[in-house]
Amino acid sequence: MKLHEPVPGGPCWAELGTSDLEAARRFYTALFGWRPETDSRQQAGGYTIARLGDAAVAALTPLYQPAQPVAWNVSFAVRDADTAVRQVAAAGGTVLQEPTDVFDSGRFAVAADPGGAVFQIWQGRSFPGAGLFNAPGALGWVELLTREPDLAADFYTTVFGWTVSASDRYPQWGIAGADFGGMVTMDDKFPHEVPAHWLPYFAVEDVDTAAADTTDGGGTVLMEPTSPPDGPRIAVLRDPQGAMFGVYRAGDER
């Protein structure tokens, strides 16, 4: 993506909620070379930040509620979380968790767009978000999969002020034209039970190697490595606990 640091409206963080934190730590450390650090404070509930060098790149967390699915979640940066959730509701979205302070790090909320895709809102204070983008092992793209593309375009441009390219094949989201993500319309190829969702993509040195390493680590390749027209080589993978994520070849940002 063409963003290299957290900016208002842009993706700033990716967070995995998992049923087996220790297994997830092992899997992603082997796959991406992450160095996970678990917050020792009891109030943090096992929240684990993954680092590449000194840079925070993602988080791994236990499931905090019985109904919470195993999944990757994408956070978008805002200047004011309380204002953002009001905008979400006014634009037809749903506020799933009202803004809450997270120590002195920032203010956090959870919402869903009109098509049901869940996302997170982050008002950074001492912690603005990821310290590295677009490098191997770091977040580099986010993709909305939805059955309501027109509603989604109206919603996100209203709430976050995004630009959206006019493309029937693969519309792309941007901030002032700096693209950071895309949108896929879920057609009949997607099972009915698969909900609309945001999918994070992480950069890797070699997509085919990452796919093989995922299988070796007990995960699954959902979309084999492929090179779409005018795009980077990509694959969609699933970790051993069931969370889906994408990978793309570093240096081939759209």
Side-chain angles (χ1 to χ4, degrees):
M1 62 184 172
K2 296 176 182 177
L3 302 178
H4 299 281
E5 62 183 3
V7 299
C12 64
W13 195 235
E15 185 177 285
L16 171 68
T18 182
S19 56
D20 191 333
L21 183 59
E22 289 305 314
R25 286 169 59 110
R26 293 192 297 270
F27 174 82
Y28 288 101
T29 295
L31 183 62
F32 293 139
W34 288 350
R35 176 170 56 85
E37 297 178 348
T38 299
D39 192 322
S40 61
R41 291 173 291 187
Q42 184 175 1
Q43 307 97 305
Y47 196 88
T48 299
I49 290 182
R51 296 184 182 274
L52 287 171
D54 293 330
V57 292
L60 312 173
T61 78
L63 299 179
Y64 294 128
Q65 299 176 4
Q68 182 182 351
V70 172
W72 276 100
N73 300 289
V74 175
S75 296
F76 297 99
V78 297
R79 291 187 174 89
D80 186 293
D82 296 83
T83 298
V85 297
R86 288 194 292 270
Q87 292 171 329
V88 164
T94 304
V95 179
L96 303 177
Q97 180 178 322
E98 293 289 344
T100 304
D101 288 330
V102 182
F103 303 112
D104 64 347
S105 298
R107 195 156 170 78
F108 167 83
V110 183
D113 69 22
V118 175
F119 61 95
Q120 300 180 162
I121 290 168
W122 181 249
Q123 176 190 338
R125 291 173 178 157
S126 65
F127 183 76
L132 183 68
F133 290 109
N134 305 316
L139 183 67
W141 193 253
V142 295
E143 188 173 83
L144 173 66
L145 291 90
T146 181
R147 295 179 175 87
E148 302 287 351
D150 293 336
L151 280 178
D154 289 343
F155 174 80
Y156 289 106
T157 55
T158 298
V159 172
F160 293 117
W162 294 350
T163 57
V164 56
S165 65
S167 169
D168 293 333
R169 187 183 67 82
Y170 191 66
Q172 295 190 20
W173 307 111
I175 295 176
D179 292 345
F180 60 79
M183 179 166 58
V184 171
T185 299
M186 300 174 73
D187 56 21
D188 292 340
K189 296 192 296 291
F190 290 84
H192 179 72
E193 63 271 16
V194 177
H197 60 280
W198 279 96
L199 186 72
Y201 278 76
F202 299 94
V204 294
E205 292 283 1
D206 187 287
V207 170
D208 297 77
T209 298
D213 289 346
T214 293
T215 302
D216 291 343
T220 307
V221 176
L222 298 178
M223 185 181 78
E224 293 288 342
T226 185
S227 299
D230 303 321
R233 190 160 180 77
I234 60 174
V236 177
L237 312 172
R238 185 167 57 200
D239 72 22
Q241 284 69 53
M244 295 182 292
F245 61 99
V247 294
Y248 75 96
R249 186 167 56 200
D252 288 348
E253 288 79 18
R254 294 177 186 270

